[in-house]
Amino acid sequence: MSRGKKLSYGMAINEALHQIMEQDERVFILGEDVAKMGGDFGITKGIWAKWPERIKDTALSESAILGLSCGAAVCGLKPVPEIMFADFLGVGFDQITNNAAKLNYMYQGKAHCGITVRAPQGGGIRCAYHHSACVESWFMNTPGLVIVCPTTPYEAKGLLISAIKSDNPVLFLEHKALYNVKGEVPEEMYELPLYEAEIEREGSDVTVIATQTMLAKAHKAAEELDKEGVSCEIIDLRTVFPYDKETIQKSVAKTGRLVIAQEGVKCGGWAAEISAMINEDVFEYLRSPIKRVTGLDSPMPFSPGLEDHVMPQQEDVVRAIRQVMEY
């Protein structure tokens, strides 16, 4: 694989869409303002000029967008619907959880619903309560649905191509605050495996699991604590559901301590699911209680100061690591 070039997270997704559409004529895109405008965040720009028949602007109806996608997928096409903000996936919740996620099971694997639903999520850019949610946990208890949360431009391109090629319905959640973050991305088309976490940093004292914006905060926290002699192992979850239990369990068995950094609200989050799994499966290796670093159980405020207060910060990760190291 070539070394590649520097691309932003958003343009890495754009390049993935261009390349997979070049390769597979079954792939098409639909959503609100995705064609001529190129999407609210510019992620689909340039596609309408090349394939005007394979990218469609739709009405403001998330349920219709997702329902049409489900039908097209059953007929053998590969729809990539964009939902402008992940908060509005709730409008099409039935199409995702009752139709797309269950279809393969209903037809004993003889029919598939290979849709890849792209949706920007997360806070940090002052979009307030209706445009800032992290929605992974809304969908985690839906067997048959895959939830992917890429963090870097490299991950965004490789995981999106894998998602589109998959026959399973994938919820591909992109963090808005990462769209302009740049990183090295190979020029050719490549795939990264779904369902596998990545150990970003080797360590021996504490395991830290994070995704998206929390990953950078975890790395900065680890660098700070390295000066105090604390060795942090950092795991990038990548696929939030079904998540990579084996990698997590092996790491926690090695370090004996676990901190989970999740941007979304605390109650019912994916951090709680992983915490429960570790307590059930590898409790005997734990040397301290598990700590969750999460957002507050609050709607997202519009005020910048209040938004920063509600969202978890680097110092919260540092504090949690110090607390587990006390045992």
Side-chain angles (χ1 to χ4, degrees), residues 3-249:
R3 181 165 182 169
K5 56 191 176 184
K6 286 275 187 178
L7 279 183
S8 69
Y9 182 91
M11 286 303 97
I13 295 168
N14 178 271
E15 185 167 273
L17 292 170
H18 276 270
Q19 290 181 350
I20 193 69
M21 290 183 75
E22 192 78 52
Q23 183 191 80
D24 190 343
E25 62 182 13
R26 297 174 302 163
V27 178
F28 74 99
I29 297 169
L30 68 161
E32 299 158 8
D33 294 324
V34 296
K36 295 180 182 180
M37 178 176 158
D40 200 44
F41 294 93
I43 305 304
T44 55
K45 70 179 183 179
I47 293 176
W48 182 71
K50 291 176 73 174
W51 298 287
E53 298 303 314
R54 291 171 59 194
I55 183 167
K56 299 295 182 183
D57 286 328
T58 67
L60 302 181
S61 175
E62 288 77 12
S63 184
I65 294 166
L66 295 168
L68 189 154
S69 297
C70 288
V74 173
C75 293
L77 298 177
K78 302 290 286 186
V80 186
E82 178 184 296
I83 303 301
M84 193 177 286
F85 289 93
D87 309 59
F88 301 111
L89 283 166
V91 182
F93 193 84
D94 182 65
Q95 297 288 0
I96 295 171
T97 60
N98 272 330
N99 293 333
K102 296 175 181 175
L103 192 134
N104 198 335
Y105 179 81
M106 288 169 61
Y107 291 96
Q108 299 179 327
K110 295 178 182 178
H112 305 284
C113 194
I115 67 173
T116 301
V117 184
R118 292 184 43 252
Q121 69 163 5
I125 62 170
R126 319 315 186 195
C127 285
Y129 19 80
H130 285 138
H131 301 82
S132 301
C134 287
V135 303
E136 309 100 302
S137 301
W138 296 4
F139 296 92
M140 273 190 74
N141 64 348
T142 306
L145 182 65
V146 181
I147 305 172
V148 177
C149 292
T151 298
T152 66
Y154 172 72
E155 288 180 2
K157 180 178 174 180
L159 290 171
L160 181 57
I161 289 170
S162 295
I164 295 171
K165 287 190 173 186
S166 169
D167 283 333
N168 293 315
V170 179
L171 191 55
F172 195 86
L173 299 173
E174 305 158 8
H175 201 292
K176 299 189 292 293
L178 296 175
Y179 275 142
N180 293 321
V181 173
K182 291 188 175 181
E184 203 166 86
V185 179
E187 291 186 19
E188 68 266 29
M189 191 166 76
Y190 61 93
E191 298 176 53
L192 292 177
L194 304 176
Y195 320 117
E196 291 185 17
E198 178 76 5
I199 297 178
E200 291 260 323
R201 175 188 172 119
E202 298 276 354
S204 57
D205 292 326
V206 56
T207 298
V208 183
I209 302 173
T211 61
Q212 300 195 321
T213 56
M214 294 308 298
L215 192 67
K217 294 173 184 177
H219 275 290
K220 289 178 182 177
E223 290 167 8
E224 180 177 339
L225 289 161
D226 195 45
K227 299 171 186 175
E228 302 174 16
V230 178
S231 174
C232 298
E233 180 149 297
I234 298 177
I235 297 177
D236 176 4
L237 207 52
R238 289 188 174 179
T239 301
V240 175
F241 182 79
Y243 61 89
D244 185 351
K245 290 184 181 181
E246 184 178 358
T247 295
I248 295 169
Q249 289 173 352

